[in-house]
Amino acid sequence: MLGSFVVRVRPMKSVCYQYCTGRLLHGLFLHLMERVNPSLAGELHDTKGQKPFTVSPLFGHFLTDSGAKKALEEEEYWFRFTALTEECCEALVRVFYGEAIPNATVMIEETPFLITATDLAVGGRRGWSGLLSYDDLISTANGEPEITLCFQTPTTFRQGKINYVLPDPNLVFGSLLRKWNAYAPKKIPQEIKNFIFERVGVSQYRLSSRLYDLGDHSLIGFQGKCKYTVLGDQNEMTRYLNILADFAFFAGLGQKTTMGMGQVRRLG
Amino acid sequence: MLGSFVVRVRPMKSVCYQYCTGRLLHGLFLHLMERVNPSLAGELHDTKGQKPFTVSPLFGHFLTDSGAKKALEEEEYWFRFTALTEECCEALVRVFYGEAIPNATVMIEETPFLITATDLAVGGRRGWSGLLSYDDLISTANGEPEITLCFQTPTTFRQGKINYVLPDPNLVFGSLLRKWNAYAPKKIPQEIKNFIFERVGVSQYRLSSRLYDLGDHSLIGFQGKCKYTVLGDQNEMTRYLNILADFAFFAGLGQKTTMGMGQVRRLG
C-alpha cells in the first residue's frame, strides 16, 4: 500500500523558524505514530538506511524576518506524510481519521496548529495526496518515453563522500529502484540499470541549487524541473521506468526524505 | 601557445539566420586559415576528434523575426576564434594583424561584415581575449578549492550514445584533461581522475537546457553557472584542477566546440 496524507493546518499563533520545518514535522510524525502504534513508531525511529515513509516541510506563505521564516497566524499551511507499507498507511489512517488527535490540534515544535482539513485521494492521486496499492500503481503506469519530474524541495544524492546535486538519470532512477525493491511485492529487475545508463538521457531542464538547513547541519540540494527521454525502441524497461517515476510521488528521492528533502512528483 | 582572438564586426546589411552562426563562422575560420596557411587549413579541416581551435557564435543583439535571428546593419557584433597550438596562433595573428583581410571585410556566409576592432590581450587575458604560453597559464594558476564556470553557449558531452547535458565534474574536467594532454607540453597525470571522482563536488548552480541548431541537426546543451568545490585537504591535484579550469577559456568544453558550442570561462 502507498499513501500520501496531505494535512492542512493553521498556526494558533505566528511562529518563526530558523531552519527547515521538515525536521520538526519528522518529530510530529513519530509522535503521532507513537500514539497509534508504539512498536511501529519505535521501529521507524530505529531503522537505519531506507525508511518506509517521507515527511515534507511546511508549505505555504512565509514572511522572511531577519533570516528566519515566519508562519502567520491567519494563514493556511500544509504538509504531507507518505508511507510505503500497509502497516504505515494503516497507522496514518488511524492518526488522521481516528481519534488520535484531540481537538484537531497538533503541536509542531512548541506551537499548536489547528488541522483544518486532511486530503486523501483513495484509489488514486489528487494534488499531492493519494492512496493506492502497488498493483494499482503498476497497472496504471504507462509506457511514455518522456518523463518530467518536478523536484519540489531540495534533492540530493550521496555518491561516496560527495553530496551529488545533479539529477543524473542513473542516480534518480537507481535510487527509486532500490526503494521500490525494498518495499514492493513485485520486484523490478536489476537489468534496468544498464537500460538507464545506455538509453535514458536528460532532454530538458531548469534547475538550481539551494541550501537546506537541517538545524545541526546543512545540505545542498537542487530544485526545478527535468525531463528524461528514452532513446530508441521502447520495451518493458520503459514501463518499469514509468512505474519508478510514478513511485517517486510516494517514495521521495535521494537523501533526507524523512526531513523534507527530495519531495518529487511527475508532471504531465 | 594559447590564443583567443576577439573580432568586432558590423554587418554591411541586415541579415537573418535560421540556425546557429557558429557553423557559418567555422566556415569563415577555415577560409581565413586557407589564406595564410593552406596546409594547416587542410589539416584542421580533415582532423577527426580533438581539434586545436574553437569558434564561437556571433554575439550581440539580435531581433527575433518569425523564428529567425536578425543581425542589424547598425549594430556591432563580435565573435572569437581560439587556438591551442603555436602554429594555429601564428596563423591567426597573420590573419588579423597581417594583410590577409583586404578592406577589413569578411564574408559570413553571403553577408559582408566590416571588422571594426580586434582584441588580443598579449601575455594575459582581458574579457574574452588572450594570448599566453602554456607555461604562463601553469604559473599563474592558483590552488583555489572553489571554481565557478560560466557556460556561455550550450554545452554538452557525449557518453556512449547519450547526449549528456549535466555538468558532472568527471565529464567537465575529464574532457578538459583529454584536450590538455593532447596539446600541452607538460602533461597532467591521469590520477587526477580519481581525485575528481572522490573529491570534487558541485556546490552551487543555476542551469538550464537549450536547443542548439547546427543546421543539419540540433543538439541540446546547457547554459548557466556552476561552482565546483574540492573537499578535504588541498594538494597538487587542486592546482591541476585550477589549470584545467583556466584552460577551458581557450579549449572550450564538450562537443561541437568548433561550431560555437561549449564556450566557457571561469568566473571570479
Side-chain angles (χ1 to χ4, degrees):
Chain A
M1 189 62 82
L2 295 156
S4 172
F5 298 72
V6 169
V7 184
R8 301 186 185 279
V9 291
R10 204 184 289 269
M12 292 169 81
K13 59 180 184 193
S14 294
V15 52
C16 274
Y17 297 110
Q18 301 294 333
Y19 57 87
C20 78
T21 50
R23 185 169 205 111
L24 306 176
L25 289 169
H26 177 96
L28 174 64
F29 174 88
L30 290 178
H31 173 74
L32 293 173
M33 291 304 254
E34 177 75 29
R35 286 203 200 153
V36 296
N37 190 337
S39 77
L40 176 61
E43 205 179 290
L44 293 176
H45 180 269
D46 297 340
T47 305
K48 302 277 173 236
Q50 302 273 30
K51 301 212 181 193
F53 70 97
T54 80
V55 173
S56 80
L58 201 57
F59 294 111
H61 175 66
F62 293 87
L63 284 188
T64 305
D65 187 349
S66 55
K69 285 170 67 179
K70 188 175 186 178
L72 303 172
E73 188 179 343
E74 61 270 30
E75 286 276 337
E76 192 179 81
Y77 297 85
W78 66 276
F79 61 89
R80 74 200 273 259
F81 294 152
T82 72
L84 307 180
T85 62
E86 190 107 22
E87 194 181 15
C88 229
C89 284
E90 273 173 12
L92 285 173
V93 167
R94 285 172 60 198
V95 163
F96 293 111
Y97 298 92
E99 310 279 292
I101 304 178
N103 306 317
T105 301
V106 290
M107 298 293 287
I108 301 178
E109 206 178 24
E110 290 163 358
T111 308
F113 279 69
L114 183 71
I115 296 180
T116 56
T118 48
D119 305 349
L120 186 66
V122 177
R125 271 163 290 179
R126 197 174 51 242
W128 281 96
S129 84
L131 184 71
L132 74 178
S133 68
Y134 280 90
D135 277 349
D136 287 344
L137 188 134
I138 292 169
S139 66
T140 57
N142 54 31
E144 277 294 318
E146 295 199 331
I147 290 169
T148 301
L149 296 180
C150 174
F151 307 97
Q152 195 73 19
T153 63
T155 303
T156 177
F157 304 97
R158 177 134 304 246
Q159 194 179 57
K161 287 178 185 164
I162 298 279
N163 182 40
Y164 195 95
V165 293
L166 297 170
D168 175 89
N170 305 286
L171 294 177
V172 167
F173 292 101
S175 165
L176 292 169
L177 176 69
R178 270 194 307 284
K179 223 167 188 174
W180 176 272
N181 283 345
Y183 300 110
K186 291 180 185 149
K187 309 303 174 197
I188 291 179
Q190 295 293 319
E191 291 92 287
I192 196 175
K193 288 186 185 175
N194 268 339
F195 177 82
I196 295 165
F197 184 77
E198 290 171 1
R199 302 271 303 277
V200 180
V202 168
S203 52
Q204 195 176 355
Y205 68 87
R206 179 176 293 275
L207 295 160
S208 58
S209 59
R210 186 79 60 90
L211 199 65
Y212 192 77
D213 185 349
L214 288 150
D216 53 357
H217 71 295
S218 293
L219 268 181
I220 299 158
F222 59 90
Q223 280 181 279
K225 291 175 193 172
C226 184
K227 191 202 276 187
Y228 299 90
T229 300
V230 179
L231 304 178
D233 295 337
Q234 307 311 314
N235 59 28
E236 187 60 14
M237 290 295 166
T238 306
R239 237 179 66 80
Y240 286 137
L241 204 72
N242 278 269
I243 289 171
L244 293 176
D246 292 342
F247 179 56
F249 180 85
F250 299 100
L253 187 59
Q255 295 188 71
K256 299 287 176 193
T257 50
T258 63
M259 303 272 190
M261 295 190 85
Q263 293 273 313
V264 174
R265 74 177 161 172
R266 184 177 183 168
L267 299 179
Chain B
M1 190 62 84
L2 294 156
S4 173
F5 297 74
V6 169
V7 185
R8 301 185 186 279
V9 292
R10 205 184 288 269
M12 291 167 81
K13 58 180 185 194
S14 294
V15 53
C16 275
Y17 297 110
Q18 302 293 334
Y19 57 88
C20 78
T21 50
R23 185 169 205 112
L24 306 176
L25 289 169
H26 177 97
L28 174 64
F29 174 89
L30 290 177
H31 172 74
L32 293 172
M33 291 305 252
E34 177 75 28
R35 284 203 200 153
V36 296
N37 190 339
S39 77
L40 176 61
E43 206 179 289
L44 293 176
H45 181 269
D46 297 340
T47 305
K48 301 275 174 238
Q50 302 273 29
K51 301 212 181 194
F53 69 97
T54 80
V55 173
S56 81
L58 202 57
F59 294 112
H61 176 66
F62 293 86
L63 284 187
T64 304
D65 188 350
S66 52
K69 285 171 66 179
K70 188 175 187 178
L72 303 172
E73 188 180 343
E74 61 270 28
E75 286 275 340
E76 193 180 81
Y77 298 85
W78 66 277
F79 61 88
R80 74 200 275 260
F81 294 152
T82 72
L84 308 180
T85 63
E86 190 106 24
E87 194 182 16
C88 230
C89 284
E90 273 173 12
L92 285 173
V93 168
R94 285 172 61 199
V95 163
F96 293 111
Y97 298 93
E99 311 279 294
I101 304 178
N103 306 317
T105 301
V106 290
M107 297 293 287
I108 301 178
E109 205 178 23
E110 290 164 356
T111 308
F113 279 70
L114 184 70
I115 295 180
T116 56
T118 48
D119 304 349
L120 186 66
V122 177
R125 270 162 292 178
R126 198 175 51 242
W128 282 95
S129 84
L131 185 70
L132 75 177
S133 68
Y134 280 91
D135 277 347
D136 287 343
L137 189 135
I138 292 170
S139 66
T140 55
N142 55 30
E144 278 294 318
E146 295 200 331
I147 291 169
T148 301
L149 296 180
C150 173
F151 307 96
Q152 195 73 20
T153 64
T155 303
T156 176
F157 304 97
R158 176 132 306 244
Q159 192 179 58
K161 286 177 184 165
I162 298 280
N163 183 41
Y164 195 95
V165 294
L166 296 171
D168 175 89
N170 305 285
L171 294 177
V172 167
F173 292 101
S175 164
L176 292 168
L177 177 69
R178 270 194 307 284
K179 222 166 190 176
W180 175 273
N181 283 345
Y183 300 110
K186 290 179 185 149
K187 308 305 174 198
I188 291 178
Q190 295 292 319
E191 291 91 288
I192 196 175
K193 287 185 185 175
N194 269 339
F195 177 82
I196 294 165
F197 184 77
E198 290 171 3
R199 301 272 303 276
V200 181
V202 168
S203 52
Q204 197 177 354
Y205 68 87
R206 180 176 292 276
L207 296 160
S208 58
S209 59
R210 188 78 62 88
L211 200 66
Y212 193 77
D213 186 348
L214 288 150
D216 53 357
H217 70 295
S218 293
L219 268 181
I220 298 158
F222 59 90
Q223 281 182 280
K225 291 175 194 172
C226 184
K227 191 202 277 187
Y228 299 90
T229 300
V230 180
L231 305 178
D233 295 338
Q234 306 310 314
N235 60 28
E236 186 61 13
M237 290 296 167
T238 307
R239 237 179 66 80
Y240 287 138
L241 205 72
N242 277 270
I243 290 170
L244 293 176
D246 292 341
F247 179 57
F249 180 85
F250 299 99
L253 186 60
Q255 296 187 72
K256 299 288 177 192
T257 50
T258 63
M259 302 273 190
M261 295 190 86
Q263 293 273 313
V264 175
R265 74 176 162 173
R266 183 175 183 169
L267 298 179

